[in-house]
């Protein structure tokens, strides 16, 4: 007997729910104070409350337990007497007409706390309407009130059939109220007593047979899914009966209990949906990580049994696809993948149920949403926007507000990831707010309005994950764009054109607060299969009551395992929270705080990599490796890269591959290996998509490195042309943060080409961009470049250059890398040496100390050009001081770096290969 099948997805009143309501009346009667009858202790009362909590949480399962199963469970946990089971069956017997049902549910209103209940005594037991039990009662009352007269009659018939399945008779409820002292046996019909003994003997024989075969005796056979999940790890030892002095074994591992269930599946209902979904997810991870961990036929047998018992588990087809794929059965793998798509289309991924309830048109808008995301994933932004605009129109036509909210969010993500100059042709005809804008608003303003509209809809529909995702996208928007007023005119119009870091932090906090939704009992985000990780890892939530304590034994039963509910956070929520830490790391990188950027990357790599995508995990590791290269040198960075690149190299356009090319390119430039640097730069450019607007960050990175390679080769005109073209492209797509880097590069090109006057406007423009976007570290670097430009104009500007250098030193020394710190030290020494008022003989340490520190930092990154300049200045100073030995030592180091720069060694080591 697996249970009673009910219609999935609809909360309808059933005989089982009526039974639970009867027990709730016993637990919290309207006129009962303190500890109600028949409870003698608070522990007994708490025991029933926890059991009812498990029952209410299992009422959404497809199969419901029969009355016989419910009575058996009550007898197992309520061992003192049979009053509770007798009261349940008697109360059900009293429901013989529609008026009885109406009066029953009217009485149920009395156990809920409310204004209509009047004054509530301090010791009175009453249910909170917002608790799990209170919500269950309210749902039952609402479901009964929605029934037609015919539905009430059907319910009465079902209750009668439900009651007749009990093998023993019970006294009617009215007789119990009239004369509770009357002998019950004299008024009860025992016509099924022989049949009951026969069934009891059959069950006893079955248990004895399992005992002789050496198998474990399960705690129960036909409980509901959530109840089985609560007691999944309990195995009752031999010769144990359910009395107050029973001893419960310690919990066994989840996998073992699951294996035992699969060994004997005939007639035994498995586990809760949470556990089954968790088992499937665990096996999917095991197959992907260890290809040959499971035999093909053995696992196929398990999947067939699961499919026969629970046809609604469409993830079985996905596991069958993985199993066939890793055993090289590609035909069967493709067939099962198609089956998985057919059975799960529009079900997984997001809550996209139509608010109007009209499903005549199917899920066409959902298919359009997925198609647009597919176009975006494969680098076709124009087609993606067209399809998403059509999804907006169809969602509005069908009244699917959830799908509309997700579609708007997808459009916002697309606009933030790709370069696009106008959306009027694509969105103007489909979405009324965009159509009303006309063409006067920029792409960024349209994106901001779409983000706010999607966030508003998600909050009204209580789509918590979408709300968190929108807050995360808003944080990225505030990080990269200056927030301008939509209507900026008049004398009081704000002229403050700067990004607001406070808004970024606010949106990140709101996004991360999603995890607090799972700390409350009444979380609306509890979905099927979302918390299976807790069961697999046996993370039990402790409860304070000492239920099932064996007073005559030193062994305390594992009551927490019996009543504990899963407390783990779903993987999708952890992924969103982890993404917020990645955005934090990126924000602190832009703002210039290297320690905070590293801390947030470490938090993500430590806490969220198990639930993250491979791209996000690679991004976090890449940030940490970049930090090592910038602050510890390339040796430490390449050592860390070797330990991580094998994990991510299989991913197309892997972050590890791009990071490796970037590190090798910088290393080659510093060593003077320009041919190798150009080859690496070309290879980096080949990774970018040729489609306009796609992979903009990668294209900009490749162009920047190409210009720097030309600058290192002293091809100033070509480097300037590449930088000018890159500036025009960034300006076209409104990539202002990238434009700041391009302007700084143009200033460096003019500085090294000897045209310092032409480089000053670019450095000042870069400073203006840095102030607008709060790029503090880049601002310090631009200030240093400006000081170098002033210094190259002549000794008369040395004091101005020194003042600029000293203004940038706190930021550079606190957060700058090895190269930037070395540049600052060398510039400071050159300013002192160029000042006619400075005397080397009087204050030699003022210039020798920064030059010595710069030489040490530059040797770590093997930057031969700057290291040679530092040793050259040191040799001149030592010559003026008359220290010949130190001068010769510095000159020898200068000669070594100049030789390495003029005649670079083409090392064909493993890294370059």
């Amino acid at each position: 007997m697996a249970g009673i099948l009910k219609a999935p997805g609809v909360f309808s009143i059933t005989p089982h729910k009526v039974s639970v309501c009867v027990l709730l009346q016993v637990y919290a009667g309207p006129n009962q104070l303190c500890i109600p009858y028949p409870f003698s202790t608070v522990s007994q009362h708490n025991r029933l409350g926890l059991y009812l909590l498990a029952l209410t949480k299992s009422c959404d399962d497809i199969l419901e337990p029969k009355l016989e199963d419910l009575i058996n469970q009550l007898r197992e946990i309520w061992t003192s007497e049979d009053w509770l089971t007798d009261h349940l069956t008697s109360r059900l017997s009293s429901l013989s007409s529609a008026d009885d049902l109406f009066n029953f549910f009217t009485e149920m209103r009395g156990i809920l706390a409310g204004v209509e209940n009047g004054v509530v005594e301090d010791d009175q037991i009453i249910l909170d309407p917002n608790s799990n039990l209170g919500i269950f009662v309210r749902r039952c009352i609402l479901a009964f009130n929605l029934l037609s007269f015919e539905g009430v009659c059907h319910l009465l018939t079902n209750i009668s059939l439900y009651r007749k399945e009990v093998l023993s008779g019970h006294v009617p409820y009215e007789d119990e109220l009239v004369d509770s002292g009357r002998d019950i046996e004299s008024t009860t019909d025992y016509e099924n007593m022989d049949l009951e003994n026969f069934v009891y003997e059959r069950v006893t024989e079955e248990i004895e047979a399992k005992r002789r075969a050496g198998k474990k005796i399960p705690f129960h056979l036909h409980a509901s899914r959530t109840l089985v999940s609560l007691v999944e790890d309990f195995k009752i030892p031999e010769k144990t009966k359910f009395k107050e002095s029973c001893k419960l074994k310690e919990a066994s591992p989840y996998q073992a209990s699951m294996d035992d269930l699969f060994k004997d599946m005939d007639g035994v209902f498995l586990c809760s949906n949470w556990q089954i979904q968790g088992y499937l997810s665990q096996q999917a991870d095991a197959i992907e990580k260890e290809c040959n961990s499971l035999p093909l036929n053995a696992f196929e047998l398990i999947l067939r049994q699961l499919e026969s018992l629970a046809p609604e588990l469409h993830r079985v087809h996905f596991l069958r696809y993985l199993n066939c794929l890793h055993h090289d059965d590609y035909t069967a793998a493709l067939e099962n993948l198609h089956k998985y798509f057919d059975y799960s289309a529009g079900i997984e991924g997001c809550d996209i149920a139509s608010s109007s309830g009209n499903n005549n048109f199917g899920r066409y808008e959902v298919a359009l949403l997925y198609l647009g995301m597919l176009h975006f994933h494969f680098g076709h932004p124009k087609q993606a926007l067209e399809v998403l605009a059509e999804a907006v129109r169809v969602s509005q036509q069908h009244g699917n507000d959830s799908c509309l909210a997700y579609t708007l969010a997808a459009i916002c993500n697309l606009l933030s990831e790709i370069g696009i100059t106008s959306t009027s042709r694509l969105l103007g005809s489909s979405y009324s707010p965009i159509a009303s804008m006309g063409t006067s608003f920029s792409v960024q303003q349209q994106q901001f309005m779409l983000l706010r509209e999607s966030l508003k809809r998600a909050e009204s529909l209580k789509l918590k994950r979408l709300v968190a995702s929108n807050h995360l996208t808003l944080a990225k928007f505030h990080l990269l764009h200056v927030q301008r007023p939509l209507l900026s005119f008049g004398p009081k119009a704000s002229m403050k054109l700067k990004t607001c870091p406070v808004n970024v932090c606010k949106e990140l906090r709101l996004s991360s607060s999603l995890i607090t939704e799972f700390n409350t009992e009444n979380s609306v985000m509890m979905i099927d299969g979302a918390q299976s990780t807790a069961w697999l890892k046996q993370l039990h939530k402790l409860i304070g009551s000492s239920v099932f304590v064996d007073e005559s034994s030193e062994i305390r039963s594992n009551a927490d395992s019996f009543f504990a509910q899963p407390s783990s956070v779903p993987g999708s929520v952890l992924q969103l929270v982890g993404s917020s830490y990645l955005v934090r790391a990126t924000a602190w990188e832009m703002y210039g705080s290297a320690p905070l950027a590293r801390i947030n990357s470490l938090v993500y790599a430590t806490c969220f990599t198990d639930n993250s995508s491979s791209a996000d995990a690679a991004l976090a590791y890449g940030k940490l490796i970049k930090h090592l290269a910038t602050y510890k040198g390339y040796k430490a960075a390449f050592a860390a890269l070797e330990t991580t690149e094998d994990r991510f190299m299989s991913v197309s356009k892997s972050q590890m591959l791009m990071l490796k090319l970037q590190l090798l390119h910088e290393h080659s430039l510093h060593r003077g290996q320009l041919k190798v640097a150009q080859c690496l730069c070309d290879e980096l450019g080949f990774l970018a998509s040729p489609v306009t607007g796609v992979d903009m960050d990668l294209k900009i990175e490749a162009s920047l490195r190409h210009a720097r390679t030309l600058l290192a080769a002293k091809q100033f005109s070509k480097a300037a042309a590449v930088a000018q073209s890159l500036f025009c492209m960034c300006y076209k797509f409104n990539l202002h943060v990238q434009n700041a880097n391009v302007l700084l590069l143009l200033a460096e090109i003019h500085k090294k080409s000897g045209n310092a006057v032409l480089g000053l406007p670019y450095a000042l423009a870069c400073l203006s961009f840095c102030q607008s976007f709060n790029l503090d570290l880049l601002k310090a670097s631009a200030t240093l470049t400006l000081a170098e430009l002033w210094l190259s104009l002549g000794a008369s500007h040395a004091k101005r250059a020194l003042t600029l250098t000293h203004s940038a030193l706190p930021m550079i020394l606190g957060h700058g890398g090895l190269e930037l710190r070395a540049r600052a030290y060398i510039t400071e020494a050159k300013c002192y040496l160029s000042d006619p008022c400075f005397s080397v003989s009087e204050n030699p340490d003022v210039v020798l100390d920064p030059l010595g520190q710069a030489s040490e930092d530059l040797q770590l990154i093997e930057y031969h050009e700057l290291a040679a300049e530092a040793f050259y200045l040191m040799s001149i100073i030592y010559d003026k001081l008359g220290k010949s030995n130190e001068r010769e030592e510095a000159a020898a180091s200068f000669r070594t770096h100049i030789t390495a720069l003029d005649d670079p060694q083409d090392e064909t080591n493993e890294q370059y290969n």
Side-chain angles (χ1 to χ4, degrees), residues 44 75 128 166 212 297 428 573 651 658 663 761 794 871 887:
Q44 290 182 352
R75 288 172 177 169
D128 183 2
V166 182
R212 289 192 297 269
N297 296 330
V573 176
V651 183
M658 289 186 286
L663 294 180
F871 282 114
R887 180 196 64 190

Side-chain angles (χ1 to χ4, degrees), residues 405-446:
Y406 276 99
T407 306
L408 293 178
I411 293 174
C412 295
N413 290 331
L414 190 149
L415 294 178
S416 64
E417 293 291 336
I418 67 172
I420 191 168
T421 57
S422 176
T423 60
S424 58
R425 295 182 180 180
L426 298 174
L427 299 178
S429 60
S430 298
Y431 191 49
S432 55
I434 298 297
S436 62
M437 292 183 198
T439 59
S440 60
F441 293 98
S442 64
V443 176
Q444 283 70 33
Q445 289 172 325
Q446 296 180 24

Side-chain angles (χ1 to χ4, degrees), residues 31-79:
N31 298 320
Q32 294 177 351
L33 301 178
C34 193
I35 303 175
Y37 179 81
F39 308 104
S40 58
T41 63
V42 177
S43 176
Q44 290 182 352
H45 190 253
N46 290 340
R47 187 187 310 176
L48 181 62
L50 291 173
Y51 175 71
L52 291 175
L53 183 64
L55 277 180
T56 56
K57 288 188 175 182
S58 68
C59 284
D60 289 330
D61 290 342
I62 294 179
L63 293 175
E64 290 183 340
K66 297 183 179 181
L67 181 58
E68 180 184 1
D69 306 327
L70 185 62
I71 290 175
N72 290 335
Q73 294 165 16
L74 287 173
R75 288 172 177 169
E76 290 170 1
I77 68 169
W78 191 266
T79 57

Side-chain angles (χ1 to χ4, degrees), residues 97 238 604 830 833 903:
S97 65
E238 301 176 16
Y604 182 89
K830 290 169 67 175
L833 294 174
D903 187 18

Side-chain angles (χ1 to χ4, degrees), residues 355 400-403 405 456-464:
S355 59
N400 196 337
D401 294 333
S402 299
C403 186
K456 180 181 177 181
R457 289 179 177 273
E459 288 176 343
S460 63
L461 296 171
K462 298 182 179 180
L463 303 174
K464 299 296 184 180

